[in-house]
């Protein structure tokens, strides 16, 4: 997918005035977080699981070459094939080759963010191969020619009226006066349309949430069952995923699964979790005849050994964006690429370049909520901060930003001057915002358009802290 | 250089730069794969009797929208299946997994049932399978593929009926993995092509973040528990 992250400021400004998006985000910012909190409360071991998961991922990343080789060997033992792709172009050409060699006309696709990352659909289409997204949200987006706005709930920005209009426009073989008012009508129609795709696809492509080195298994996690129909019914199953998804054993994968759904949607576990290991065995009644795994690097290995390595622990649960005040305000499309929210701000600079993604690490209030809910404890604010430094070092910021940072550094290094200036600013703001919160602020219209900015209550943090220390 | 070497080489270089002890790395990995450390498991299943596990399994499966009922012995299964389908006003044609235990059920006790065995066909409305394990911690069914189990039965029909012997109910996923290892070893096989964990019927929340049942997989999952709890372990 072509990144548009450099346009973040303009896209964010548009998002703030889009009424449909505002309605969706209002619902969104309570839904998932409330469900997650309930699921976490129901599992007292949750914190211990987070620590264990972090340790598993750290160990795996420091031995990633060994585990990938073990995974590859097990896939081969079970009759499958592993392909290695350095970058997006190589991953596309591997899949195109597999598809053309098999004379594929129709490809069913399970939800895969890596597929978005490499822009697979456009490449298949250009080669005359029809690829159909089968996750309901992804299917709707494909019809609309849009990209996902969330890694777990890709179409959360749309209303049912928008979807109904898209279905009427696209499914022209159905009676034009059919009722499509209810979400259940829309779901039933999509189910019917996609059934033919599952039954007739030559190839099924899915992503993977995890890879298991011990067994050579790939794991997908879904609620709809579309990924399973995709990979069970076609002749050839291709798994496309990133090299960082491997974990050592089934026990480790089980640990991760206990965290994933609870963190993502607040479910104890999703409806379907499927472990796939090689193609159909000789006496199996069904399943694909071929099993291929495409392992994508695309900038990931370059993070190993750097301060940003920890971002590779990510299990793509979406909890960080579900809890992010910036995401709540601007939605996912503003980020301009596949991975939005805090994880996008921490990962995208590595995948699409610091220059393109330079605004994203700034799209943060550094409130720390993302890190506090991340199931694998990625220090997202720290990583974003580091990218800001990298960007500054590379002098990619416009001069006004550099001067602003320089001025801040000047103050920060002179605590008394800083205290004086912030105390004055505080008093001015406290006086202007008498009712406790500002309805609008100069230079911060985007912020106060969607929320009230809390007015500073009297004194600065530093002066309170000083009293506390002496008191 | 080919891509595999390039990627693995880059990973190795980063590990070496970070001071990884190359004399030990391979042995560490082999040792961890051979005897993986145990991770925390949910306390909710600890100390439960067989009866307690059955109750928890039932509660968790019901909470995600599955139906759970119990019959005393396999001879009652055909009636339970037929009554369930009639109760929905549904037809009585079912496609059953080619599992020896399922085949041995006296399906002809209920002549109105029309049964066929094998993988799911496009028009099939009802799939019947058993499960290796019912996991109490989340009400999850663990169903491995094999000569006796067709994966398509879990996803293609609108209704999935699971005939589960009571003694297949375990506490945690780990216990299910253990059961799988024993079964595969007894069959002289490694990891099966597919292991499916099924927890309730399919659903989606992709339209306006509202959870709806019956997406692409079955809209109903009915679990028929078979047997009496073992008094020795209850
Ligand atoms: S960074 Fe953490 S919270 Fe965000 S998607 Fe990844 S694992 Fe989930």
């Amino acid at each position: 997918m072509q990144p548009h992250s450099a346009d973040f400021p303009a896209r964010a400004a548009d998002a703030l005035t889009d009424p449909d998006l505002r309605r969706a985000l209002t619902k969104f910012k309570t839904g998932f977080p409330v469900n997650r909190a309930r699921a976490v409360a129901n599992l007292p071991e949750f914190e211990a699981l987070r620590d264990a998961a972090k340790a598993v991922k750290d160990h795996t990343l420091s031995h990633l070459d060994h585990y990938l080789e073990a995974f590859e060997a097990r896939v081969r033992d079970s009759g499958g094939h592993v392909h290695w792709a350095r970058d997006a172009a190589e991953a596309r050409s591997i899949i195109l080759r597999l598809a053309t060699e098999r004379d594929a006309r129709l490809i069913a696709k399970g939800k895969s963010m890596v597929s978005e990352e490499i822009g697979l659909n456009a490449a298949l289409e250009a080669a005359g191969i029809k690829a159909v997204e089968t996750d309901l949200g992804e299917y709707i987006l494909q019809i609309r020619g849009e990209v996902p706005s969330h890694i777990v709930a890709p179409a959360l920005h749309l209303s049912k009226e928008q979807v109904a209009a898209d279905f009427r426009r696209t499914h022209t073989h159905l009676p034009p006066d059919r009722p499509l008012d209810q979400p259940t009508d829309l779901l039933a129609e999509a189910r019917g349309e996609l059934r033919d795709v599952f039954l007739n696809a030559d190839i099924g492509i899915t992503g993977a949430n995890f890879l298991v080195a011990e067994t050579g298994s790939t794991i997908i996690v879904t609620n709809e069952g579309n990924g399973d129909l995709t990979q069970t019914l076609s002749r050839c199953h291709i798994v496309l995923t990133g090299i960082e998804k491997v974990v050592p054993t089934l026990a480790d994968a089980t640990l991760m699964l206990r965290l994933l759904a609870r963190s993502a949607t607040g479910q104890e576990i999703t409806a379907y979790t499927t472990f796939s290991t090689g193609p159909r065995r000789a006496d199996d009644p069904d399943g694909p005849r071929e099993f291929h795994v495409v392992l994508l690097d695309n900038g990931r290995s370059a993070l190993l050994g750097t301060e940003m390595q920890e971002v590779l622990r990510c299990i793509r649960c979406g909890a960080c964006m579900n809890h992010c005040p910036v995401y709540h305000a601007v939605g996912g499309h503003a980020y301009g690429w596949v991975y939005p929210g805090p994880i996008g701000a921490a990962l995208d600079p590595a995948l699409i370049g610091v220059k393109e993604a330079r605004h994203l690490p700034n799209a943060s209030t550094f409130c720390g909520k993302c890190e506090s809910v991340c199931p694998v404890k990625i220090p997202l604010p720290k990583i974003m901060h580091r990218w800001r430094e990298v960007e500054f070092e590379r002098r990619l910021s416009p001069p006004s930003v550099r001067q602003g940072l320089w001025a801040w550094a000047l103050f920060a290094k002179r605590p008394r001057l800083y205290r004086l200036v912030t105390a004055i600013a505080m008093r001015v703001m406290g006086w202007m915002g008498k009712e406790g919160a500002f309805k609008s602020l100069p230079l911060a219209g985007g912020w106060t358009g969607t929320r009230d900015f809390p007015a500073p209550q009297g004194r600065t943090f530093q002066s309170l802290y000083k009293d506390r220390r002496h008191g | 250089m080919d891509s595999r070497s390039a990627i693995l080489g880059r990973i190795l270089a980063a590990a070496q730069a970070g001071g990884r002890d190359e004399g030990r790395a391979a042995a560490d990995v082999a040792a961890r794969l051979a005897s993986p450390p145990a991770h925390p498991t949910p306390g909710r299943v600890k100390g439960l009797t067989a009866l307690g596990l059955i109750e928890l399994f039932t509660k968790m499966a019901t909470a995600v929208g599955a139906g759970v009922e119990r019959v005393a012995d396999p001879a009652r299964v055909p009636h339970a299946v037929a009554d369930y389908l009639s109760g929905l006003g549904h037809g009585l044609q079912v496609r059953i997994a080619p599992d020896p235990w399922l085949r041995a059920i006296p399906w002809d006790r209920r002549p109105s049932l029309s049964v066929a065995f094998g993988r799911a066909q496009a028009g099939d409305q009802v799939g019947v399978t058993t499960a290796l394990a019912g996991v109490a911690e989340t009400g999850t069914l663990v169903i491995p593929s094999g000569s006796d189990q067709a994966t398509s039965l879990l996803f293609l029909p609108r209704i999935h009926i699971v005939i589960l012997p009571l003694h297949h109910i375990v506490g945690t996923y780990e216990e299910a993995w253990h059961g799988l290892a024993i079964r595969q070893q007894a069959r002289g096989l490694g990891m099966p092509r597919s292991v499916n964990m099924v927890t309730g019927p399919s659903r989606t929340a992709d339209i306006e973040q509202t959870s709806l049942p019956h997406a692409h997989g079955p809209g109903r999952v009915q679990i028929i528990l078979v047997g009496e709890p073992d008094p020795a372990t209850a």
Side-chain angles (χ1 to χ4, degrees):
Chain A
M1 168 185 166
Q2 205 51 40
H4 300 284
S5 304
D7 305 331
F8 179 82
R11 296 168 76 93
D14 289 348
L16 292 170
T17 54
D18 175 341
D20 287 328
L21 180 62
R22 304 253 58 81
R23 214 174 320 120
L25 288 171
T26 301
K27 188 164 180 183
F28 169 76
K29 65 188 178 193
T30 50
F32 282 157
V34 167
N35 293 344
R36 175 192 174 276
R38 191 185 311 125
V40 170
N42 283 337
L43 192 73
E45 296 76 17
F46 196 79
E47 270 311 301
L49 292 171
R50 286 177 77 199
D51 289 329
K54 174 178 183 295
V56 166
K57 278 289 195 175
D58 284 341
H59 166 80
T60 313
L61 290 172
S62 62
H63 299 81
L64 190 58
D65 45 349
H66 291 275
Y67 284 114
L68 287 171
E69 286 183 87
F71 169 78
E72 178 188 44
R74 296 291 85 75
V75 172
R76 288 222 188 104
D77 293 347
S78 59
H81 306 270
V82 175
H83 311 262
W84 303 74
R86 263 177 283 205
D87 53 27
E90 194 172 4
R92 286 193 300 266
S93 74
I94 290 167
I95 293 175
L96 267 179
R97 182 172 50 75
L98 290 173
T100 40
E101 280 171 5
R102 280 149 195 79
D103 206 11
R105 302 279 150 77
L106 177 64
I107 294 183
K109 290 188 69 211
K111 189 166 166 304
S112 157
M113 297 310 290
V114 174
S115 156
E116 302 282 347
E117 181 180 331
I118 68 168
L120 182 59
N121 290 358
L124 290 169
E125 206 174 298
I129 301 167
K130 190 171 174 195
V132 181
E133 296 291 343
T134 62
D135 171 85
L136 177 60
E138 295 277 352
Y139 175 69
I140 294 167
L141 295 178
Q142 190 177 30
I143 288 178
R144 295 175 64 83
E146 280 186 17
V147 295
S149 67
H150 187 282
I151 61 174
V152 172
L156 79 89
H157 57 284
L158 297 174
S159 68
K160 64 177 191 293
E161 289 77 18
Q162 287 171 302
V163 178
D166 293 326
F167 280 12
R168 281 194 203 288
R169 183 171 50 76
T170 325
H171 304 154
T172 45
H173 52 288
L174 297 172
D177 55 350
R178 66 196 185 279
L180 283 179
D181 309 327
Q182 297 302 319
T184 44
D185 300 332
L186 299 167
L187 176 57
E189 182 160 318
R191 189 194 309 130
E193 292 298 308
L194 287 166
R195 192 110 308 217
D196 291 339
V197 175
F198 293 129
L199 291 169
N200 296 312
D202 304 300
I203 293 178
I205 300 180
T206 69
N209 293 83
F210 305 101
L211 308 171
V212 184
E214 177 189 23
T215 55
S217 308
T218 68
I219 301 177
I220 62 165
V221 166
T222 77
N223 277 312
E224 296 185 4
N226 64 306
D228 286 286
L229 286 163
T230 295
Q231 67 182 41
T232 304
L233 300 186
S234 54
R235 277 198 88 260
C236 172
H237 177 199
I238 301 175
V239 180
L240 167 65
T241 195
I243 53 171
E244 82 285 17
K245 296 278 171 69
V246 69
V247 295
T249 64
L250 285 175
D252 298 317
T254 304
L255 163 74
M256 299 293 166
L257 289 170
R258 285 201 178 97
L259 289 164
L260 179 56
R262 290 181 173 94
S263 300
T265 55
Q267 292 172 279
E268 300 257 339
I269 186 170
T270 50
Y272 304 115
T273 301
T274 300
F275 298 68
S276 301
T277 315
R280 178 197 295 207
R281 309 294 191 261
D283 54 359
D284 281 352
D286 57 12
R289 305 249 175 217
E290 288 186 69
F291 181 72
H292 296 266
V293 183
V294 181
L295 295 175
L296 176 70
D297 184 343
N298 205 27
R300 289 163 172 81
S301 65
L303 290 171
L304 292 168
T306 73
E307 291 158 281
M308 282 79 134
Q309 167 173 326
E310 293 181 88
V311 81
L312 296 175
R313 288 202 299 266
C314 176
I315 61 171
R316 305 282 190 272
C317 70
C320 54
M321 59 198 78
N322 297 351
H323 292 78
C324 176
V326 176
Y327 185 98
H328 291 167
V330 301
H333 283 162
Y335 290 80
W337 203 54
V338 180
Y339 306 104
I343 181 58
L347 181 66
D348 295 353
L351 302 189
I352 55 176
V354 178
K355 186 161 191 279
E356 177 66 39
R358 66 188 176 278
H359 295 301
L360 306 187
N362 292 305
S364 163
T365 65
F366 290 89
C367 69
K369 191 72 192 164
C370 49
E371 181 175 358
S372 76
V373 296
C374 175
V376 284
K377 300 199 164 180
I378 299 172
L380 292 156
K382 188 189 96 183
I383 292 170
M384 284 183 243
H385 197 95
R386 183 67 196 113
W387 282 121
R388 285 156 73 143
E389 287 170 0
V390 169
E391 187 228 344
F392 187 73
E393 284 155 15
R394 295 197 194 167
R395 303 273 151 179
L396 295 172
S397 305
S400 66
V401 175
R402 285 212 301 275
Q403 278 156 22
L405 281 179
W406 174 84
W408 181 83
L410 178 85
F411 281 120
K413 284 180 196 146
R414 291 165 182 75
R416 283 180 51 201
L417 182 61
Y418 184 80
R419 273 200 297 275
L420 180 70
V421 173
T422 48
I424 291 170
M426 271 319 220
R427 253 174 280 138
V428 172
M429 285 170 80
W431 171 73
M432 280 165 48
K434 277 232 163 43
E435 284 158 36
F438 293 99
K439 289 276 183 282
S440 76
L441 274 180
L443 305 177
W447 184 260
T448 52
T450 50
R451 66 172 50 62
D452 290 345
F453 189 90
Q457 300 296 322
R459 300 168 61 192
T460 65
F461 171 75
Q462 286 190 353
S463 82
L464 289 171
Y465 178 70
K466 214 159 135 202
D467 285 359
R468 192 62 48 100
R469 238 178 7 164
H470 293 297
Chain B
M1 198 193 305
D2 68 297
S3 300
R4 181 181 185 278
S5 315
I7 294 168
L8 290 173
R10 221 156 23 204
I11 297 170
L12 177 64
Q16 285 175 333
R20 185 173 78 184
D21 181 349
E22 290 309 313
R24 294 192 37 190
D28 285 350
V29 166
R32 200 182 179 291
L33 285 173
S35 55
H39 298 305
T41 55
R44 62 175 72 151
V45 301
K46 290 192 182 128
L48 290 184
T49 60
L51 210 57
L53 288 176
I54 294 165
E55 274 166 16
L56 180 60
F57 174 81
T58 304
K59 182 180 132 197
M60 299 307 286
T62 312
V64 290
V68 182
E69 62 177 292
R70 222 156 110 182
V71 298
D73 66 83
R76 298 295 314 160
V77 168
H79 300 292
V81 169
D83 291 344
Y84 170 71
L85 292 173
S86 313
L88 296 173
H90 204 280
L92 298 183
Q93 294 80 28
V94 298
R95 179 84 58 185
I96 307 174
D99 175 286
W101 183 72
L102 290 176
R103 279 185 192 276
I105 288 174
W107 295 101
D108 52 1
R109 297 268 175 99
R110 189 73 174 246
S112 54
L113 267 180
S114 142
V115 303
F117 292 87
R119 66 163 177 267
Q121 308 296 317
D124 286 352
Q125 300 293 307
V126 185
V128 179
T129 73
T130 181
L132 173 79
V135 184
E137 70 168 285
T138 49
T140 299
L141 300 154
V142 177
I143 307 175
S145 65
S147 58
D148 51 357
Q149 168 57 40
T151 310
S152 52
L153 289 171
L154 312 182
F155 297 103
L156 211 42
R158 303 172 67 87
I159 299 176
H160 180 198
I161 300 179
V162 183
I163 318 293
L164 184 69
L166 264 192
H167 64 273
H168 286 208
I169 292 184
V170 298
T172 61
Y173 307 137
E174 281 81 355
E175 290 168 71
W177 290 126
H178 185 66
L180 179 69
I182 290 174
R183 181 189 97 149
Q184 295 300 101
Q185 214 159 26
R187 294 180 177 189
L189 299 170
M191 190 76 176
R193 182 194 72 76
S194 172
V195 179
N196 294 94
M197 296 169 85
V198 177
T199 313
S202 75
R203 74 206 68 167
T204 182
D206 274 348
I207 299 172
E208 296 197 344
Q209 305 165 59
T210 306
S211 183
L212 299 174
H214 198 186
H216 299 294
R220 293 179 188 273
V221 171
Q222 180 72 3
I223 303 167
I224 300 175
L225 301 175
V226 184
E228 301 286 358
D230 181 355
T233 55

